[in-house]
Amino acid sequence: MLTGLTIRDVVLIDRLDLAFGPGLAVLTGETGAGKSILLDALGLALGARADSGLVRNGAKQAVVTASFEVPDGHGSQDILEEMGIDADGPVILRRILTADGRSRAFANDEPVNVATLKRLGETLVEIQGQFDQRGLMDPATHRETLDQFGGHGALLEKVGRTHASWSAARAAHRKAREELERARADEELLRHNVEELDAAAPEEGEETRLASDRTLLANAAQILEAMNGAAGALEAEDGAEQAVATAQRILERVRDRAGDRLDSVIDGLDRAAAEIQEAQHALSQIASDVEADSGRLEEVDDRLHLLRALARKHDIEADRLPELHRALSARLAALDDAGGGLADLAHVEESSRADYIEAGKALTEARCIAAAKLDKALTDELVPLKLDKAQVKTRLEPLDENDWGAAGMERVSFQVSTNPGAPFGPLARIASGGELSRFLLALKVVLSEANPVSTLVFDEVDSGVGGAVAAAVGERLARLGSDTQVLVVTHSPQVAARGLRHWHVAKQADGELVKTAVSQLEQGERREELARMLSGATVTDEARAAADSLLNPA
């Protein structure tokens, strides 16, 4: 609900602060007094197109601030949270327009772009005028409007869910098919690479191991010479083995006389003797192995050359060849088995499509039922608005399958025939200005419970009507105001009398300057304004009596 509107330096308004409450509020005044300026200012705060002509002559900038109280879970809060803006408390929209046409927008004192301001505004206020192409005048809103009227939330949720599943299944099938087509194109090369790796049969860590073997074999002569020298040194008459044995014999002769003092020394010599024997055995074994493998150098070189050539071919490290072998083998196996996998994906896609169609048909049937109810309710509302010859038809037009989406399988539009036998067509093309305003009012009355917007603004909805029709317009606006905040710019006393609040817009001269002033009328002032609207420039007692009857109907 709009709670406050602050306007600074907009056209003829220099300073204006208005406070609003629930229910129906009316704005009246002479033609040209500036009522449309108020709507232009409000539109500016709601993200409408900015025009530097709105800046008051001589001012540097125009500023408009609109404040709203919203319930928890309101759509505006979702948008604020999406933008990272604090959504607690009131929603405050501000627009600054400079004299050179530049514009800045703010939501809850945080800078936002105008597109975001407009998104917020569309969740808070709906302005209906004879030439306004937003709201119900925009066919893009008709499907959502019908679903709100019919209470199709659960059906829409199911359609959206099944459409998402179908889309995912379709994408997976398409991706697999494209991958298969690419793989088929490279199948000959893939098979050749797998056969080549099958033949090579690379092993984990093989290249590292072979490189070590090659270093050993390439230096076999020097290594054998060194090992033979070491073995000779150990086995010589004055070598380590003989020296340790001599020391053992000498100490064993006096061991008993020394108590246990020599035990650790003798044990150490025993270990040294054992280690020397093991070292001699190892040297002998290694020397035998080196001598036995001395003819493998060429074989190792050939194997390393093969592995490294394969690694260069596939632009990887040689030790990753086994991993590549497994991956290419798996791709080839998948290619050989692709027919079955594609068939499974095609089945999932078709099953998901069937689920979507089932959910979509259920939604379509519900929309047909809701459309019939809506058409009847609208026709009933049009009779007292002097549009009894008009017919309303909610049209459901099936979409091509390529256009099916999360919102269903049809396009929805509200169409009108204003005279018997005349063709049906869109609201804006078929109805005249005055008729269009009444059509929109009837739609709003019928759809009031389904409308998520808490503030409705009507600009001269009573244009071109009077008497009983104007009274019917006022009665419907008052009915709307019982559940929704409604602001109406009107020239009809029958409509103005229905307002819970009455604002009067007038021009005032301030020296050479002319300004627009807005004042809230009390009961006596309302009587005079209604009498003026009834009688014109000269207010008569008869007009005052008529105003009394409008304000206090029997």
Side-chain angles (χ1 to χ4, degrees), residues 19 50 83 101 109 162 197 202 206 218 260 287 301-302 308 313 323 334 347-348 360 380 408 422-423 435 459 489 524:
M83 301 298 297
D109 291 327
T162 54
L197 288 166
E206 184 178 8
D260 59 359
D301 276 339
D302 289 345
R308 288 171 177 171
K313 175 181 178 179
E323 177 186 344
H347 175 72
V348 172
D380 292 343
E435 289 173 332
D459 184 10
V489 175

Side-chain angles (χ1 to χ4, degrees), residues 45 80 261:
L80 290 172
R261 290 178 176 83

Side-chain angles (χ1 to χ4, degrees), residues 108-166:
N108 285 0
D109 291 327
E110 296 289 342
V112 297
N113 57 41
V114 175
T116 298
L117 195 71
K118 186 175 181 180
R119 285 179 62 201
L120 287 164
E122 287 173 349
T123 69
L124 296 163
V125 177
E126 187 170 315
I127 299 176
Q128 294 293 348
Q130 294 182 25
F131 309 106
D132 195 340
Q133 297 302 310
R134 296 175 296 173
L136 290 173
M137 290 288 287
D138 182 359
T141 68
H142 293 179
R143 183 166 58 188
E144 180 182 359
T145 299
L146 178 62
D147 287 332
Q148 290 170 348
F149 175 77
H152 299 154
L155 290 171
L156 272 170
E157 191 277 332
K158 186 174 182 179
V159 168
R161 186 175 65 252
T162 54
H163 182 264
S165 298
W166 178 28

